[in-house]
Each structure stands twice: as C-alpha cells, then as structure tokens.
C-alpha cells in the first residue's frame, strides 16, 4: 500500500504466492550504542548482517588502509561524505575519488586507502565468512531465515566486473524512486534526502514476499514500523514493532513483514536501502537504475 505520490505505487503487483507460515524477526544494529567489532590501526568498524550480506560501517583514521585478500563476489563501497577521498585498488585497476560516490568492486583482492580518514560503508555477500562470523547479530543467522531463497548473483558483464565509481550527486527526478545503482550482487538505493520529519499521512506500508531489505541510516533519526501477518498457528504471531534507529544504524526487515519507515529527525534524514541480490521490479522499471547499462539483466 503506497501513497499515490510514491513512485512505487506504479509497480506491477507480483502474482500471488502461497502465504508464509513462519517468520523471522527484524534485526537492528545501532552502531554507536555498542562497541565496534573491529578496532585497529584503520579505525573502528561495526559489522552487522542480513541473510545474504554483511555491512561494515567504518570510522577510519587518517591514512587508513583496508585490505580484503580475496572476495568471492563483487562488493560495494559507499563514500557518503564529499570530504572523504579514497584510492581503491582491485587487481591491476586503481581509482582515486573524492567522496559522495558509490563504487562497485570486482571479486578478488582489493585495497582501500583513506588519506584523510572519514566514514565509509562496505557491503559484502555472506561469502565473506570471516566478517559474517564477527557480526553483532551473527547468532541470528546460525540457521537460515525462512521465506528467502538461496542467494544467486546476477549475470556478470561482458568482459567481467571492474571498478566502477558513480557520483551520488544526482538530481531528484519526479517519478523516479531515489538514486538506485546495482551490480551483480547488490542493489543500493541512496534515497533522496529528507529534511525534517516525514508526513505521517503519506506513509508506505508494504511487504516483500521473498527478500530482505537492509535500511542503513546515515543521518538523522528514524522509526521502523513493522507488522507480521497472522497465521492459523498463534505461536507464530508477533507483536508490532516501532523501532527507533538513529544514525548510524542498520535495520534488516524480513519478508513478509509489513513495514514502513518514518524520518523523525528535525534536520537531514538520510536513508539507504540495500537489497542482496538486486530486486527485479526496480531493475525492470525504465529509468530507475542509474547504471543499468553496465550490467545485463538475468534471464527470465
């Protein structure tokens, strides 16, 4: 259920699926309310996960070097702050960029250098087992959550993956939902910034049948409202949740919970939605994925 002003209201409804009969709970990681999982010469890093992905939120020291020896899948780097410059190396490639960008990093070894430090966000698939094991909510995924099919990456571009950097400085466009980028493993929607609280008469309660949504708060303050379906088995019923998650934080919203998110901060509220793998409905909507030409779509 979307407000008529929400671009998602135009998406075609998916054919009906059998109703889910058991559910997982939501996950909330409020980074500044708990100690970081990694403290080293590079800075402080908090780790949290969904079923298919790991998020690393790092407050890096000047001169920080972050190295990954061998990633099985393509990963993502977010540099949300314009002042945070970085040099990214992957194989024989090297890219130096100011902040305010999203970078898709190919599989294999990679190295990120941050001369002035700053905050960065990295997204890995759950194949990064060393990071997955250290996540603040690792125990929640000791067994796979229900209603989510096995992870399958999307097709690789002709010639293979490579470093691809895209500016986040994209003008708001009526009819387009946020600023969406995707690769073979992730779809990231850097939502249009919201100043001040959200109008509570224009919320967007909806659900997903078979995929999680990660909601990363980078600025401001949010409340995630969730409601689970009732089934014939009352033991599966869950209370409604209205979870306050100030930035920096990650909420992982499970299927098929009905959910919407309210910005409540008086200033800038910046949310980033994360899907692993990408979602087909957004990818199929003309003009929504800003780097759509870089990657082929999966076969039906």
């Amino acid at each position: 259920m979307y407000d008529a002003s929400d671009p998602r209201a135009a998406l075609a409804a998916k054919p009906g699926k059998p109703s889910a009969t058991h559910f997982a709970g939501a996950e909330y990681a409020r980074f500044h309310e708990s100690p970081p999982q990694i403290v080293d010469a590079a800075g402080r890093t908090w780790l949290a996960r969904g079923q298919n992905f790991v998020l690393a939120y790092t407050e890096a020291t000047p001169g920080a070097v972050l190295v990954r020896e061998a990633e099985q899948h393509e990963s993502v780097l977010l540099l949300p702050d314009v002042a945070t410059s970085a040099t990214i190396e992957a194989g024989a490639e090297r890219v130096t960029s100011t902040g305010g960008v999203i970078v898709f990093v190919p599989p294999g070894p990679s190295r990120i250098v941050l001369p002035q430090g700053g905050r960065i966000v990295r997204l890995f698939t759950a194949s990064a087992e060393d990071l997955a094991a250290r996540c603040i909510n690792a125990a929640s995924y000791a067994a796979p959550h229900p209603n989510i099919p096995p992870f399958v990456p999307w097709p690789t571009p002709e010639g293979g993956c490579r470093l691809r950097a895209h500016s986040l400085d994209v003008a708001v466009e009526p009819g387009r939902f946020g600023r969406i980028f995707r690769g073979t493993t992730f779809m990231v929607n850097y939502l249009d910034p919201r100043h001040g609280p959200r109008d509570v008469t224009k919320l967007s309660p909806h659900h997903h049948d078979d995929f999680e949504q990660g909601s990363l708060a980078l600025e401001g303050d949010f409340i995630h409202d969730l409601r689970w379906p009732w089934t014939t088995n009352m033991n599966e019923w869950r209370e409604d949740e209205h979870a306050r998650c100030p930035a920096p934080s990650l909420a992982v919203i499970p299927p098929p919970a009905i959910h919407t998110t309210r910005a409540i901060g008086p200033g800038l509220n910046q949310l980033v939605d994360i899907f692993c793998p990408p979602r087909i409905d957004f990818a199929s909507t003309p003009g929504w994925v800003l780097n759509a030409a870089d990657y082929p779509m999966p076969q039906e």
Side-chain angles (χ1 to χ4, degrees):
M1 182 191 303
Y2 298 107
D3 180 78
S5 63
D6 192 312
R8 291 170 294 178
L11 293 176
K14 295 174 68 175
K17 289 193 172 185
S19 297
T21 57
H22 59 293
F23 317 110
E27 300 289 321
Y28 306 109
R30 301 168 179 89
F31 298 138
H32 284 174
E33 293 183 12
S34 61
Q37 281 65 60
I38 301 174
V39 179
D40 56 20
R44 304 189 301 164
T45 297
W46 287 262
L47 298 168
R49 65 167 297 179
Q51 179 143 304
N52 294 333
F53 72 93
V54 173
L55 182 146
Y57 178 89
T58 299
E59 294 175 350
T61 56
V65 179
L66 298 165
V67 176
R68 295 296 294 167
E69 297 294 347
E71 287 301 327
Q72 180 180 347
H73 297 129
E74 187 178 47
S75 59
V76 176
L77 167 66
L78 278 176
L79 298 173
D81 303 315
V82 174
T84 304
S85 62
T87 296
I88 307 102
E89 299 174 0
E93 291 188 286
R94 178 187 176 103
V95 170
T96 296
S97 177
T98 57
V101 298
I102 180 171
V103 184
F104 290 86
V105 181
S110 63
R111 185 172 183 264
I112 302 168
V113 180
L114 299 147
Q116 291 82 40
R119 62 175 181 164
I120 71 167
V121 177
R122 290 169 293 159
L123 302 173
F124 305 96
T125 68
S127 65
E129 295 179 354
D130 60 323
L131 299 179
R134 300 179 71 173
C135 285
I136 192 171
N137 62 334
S140 295
Y141 292 92
H145 283 194
N147 310 313
I148 304 171
F151 172 73
V152 178
W154 280 23
T156 301
E158 186 175 350
C161 295
R162 60 178 178 82
L163 285 174
R164 289 180 166 90
H166 304 277
S167 173
L168 297 170
D169 185 12
V170 179
V172 175
E173 182 179 308
R176 192 188 70 224
F177 183 52
R179 293 163 283 179
I180 302 175
F181 302 88
R182 77 161 184 89
T184 62
T185 52
F186 284 94
M187 174 177 281
V188 177
N189 188 359
Y190 209 91
L191 293 164
D192 296 328
R194 182 180 298 276
H195 296 272
R198 185 174 182 179
D199 183 349
V200 297
T201 69
K202 296 182 177 181
L203 298 179
S204 57
H206 64 286
H207 79 280
H208 308 137
D209 287 327
D210 56 8
F211 59 87
E212 288 180 322
Q213 173 179 315
S215 287
L216 169 67
L218 288 175
E219 305 284 352
D221 202 350
F222 296 87
I223 293 177
H224 301 285
D225 300 295
L226 288 90
R227 170 170 289 179
W228 281 261
W230 285 1
T231 71
T232 55
N233 181 356
M234 191 175 182
N235 293 319
E236 292 289 342
W237 294 8
R238 289 177 174 268
E239 296 291 336
D240 290 356
E241 291 184 5
H242 307 280
R244 184 172 181 176
C245 291
S249 63
L250 175 69
V252 182
I253 298 164
I258 300 167
H259 62 278
T260 191
T261 297
R262 293 177 277 149
I264 61 172
L268 173 62
N269 295 285
Q270 180 64 65
L271 201 66
V272 180
D273 284 344
I274 299 159
F275 306 98
C276 180
R279 51 186 292 181
I280 193 71
D281 55 349
F282 283 12
S284 301
T285 304
W288 276 26
V289 178
L290 297 173
N291 66 331
D294 291 348
Y295 293 91
M297 290 280 286
Q299 297 296 316
E300 292 294 336

